[in-house]
Amino acid sequence: MKPISEVHAADPGLAVVEVAACDDETAFAVQELLAERRATATADTTSRAPGEPGVRLRCYLDVRQELGS
């Protein structure tokens, strides 16, 4: 994965979340749970690192904006 950009965590309330999971389905399920509660810039794909188990997914949250209760 590329390094985290300063702009994604420049202000209080902005967060970068990296998910490590055994498969795509699990990683996207975690992302969906986050997106149900907070404004989220979601990922369309996961990545795999050679020699490392599972997949990685990165999404961006704005915890200042709660979507539901």
Side-chain angles (χ1 to χ4, degrees):
M1 284 191 155
K2 294 180 182 178
I4 295 170
S5 170
E6 288 182 29
V7 72
H8 293 120
D11 297 321
L14 299 179
V16 180
V17 177
E18 290 187 348
V19 176
C22 64
D23 58 20
D24 288 351
E25 183 177 297
T26 304
F28 287 121
V30 171
Q31 177 177 252
E32 185 177 330
L33 289 172
L34 295 169
E36 288 174 358
R37 301 275 305 176
R38 300 290 180 179
T40 309
T42 57
D44 295 331
T45 60
T46 60
S47 62
R48 295 181 183 273
E52 293 185 17
V55 299
R56 304 277 189 267
L57 177 142
R58 181 182 291 168
C59 59
Y60 304 90
L61 302 179
D62 184 343
V63 298
R64 302 169 293 188
Q65 299 180 38
E66 187 168 351
L67 299 179
S69 56

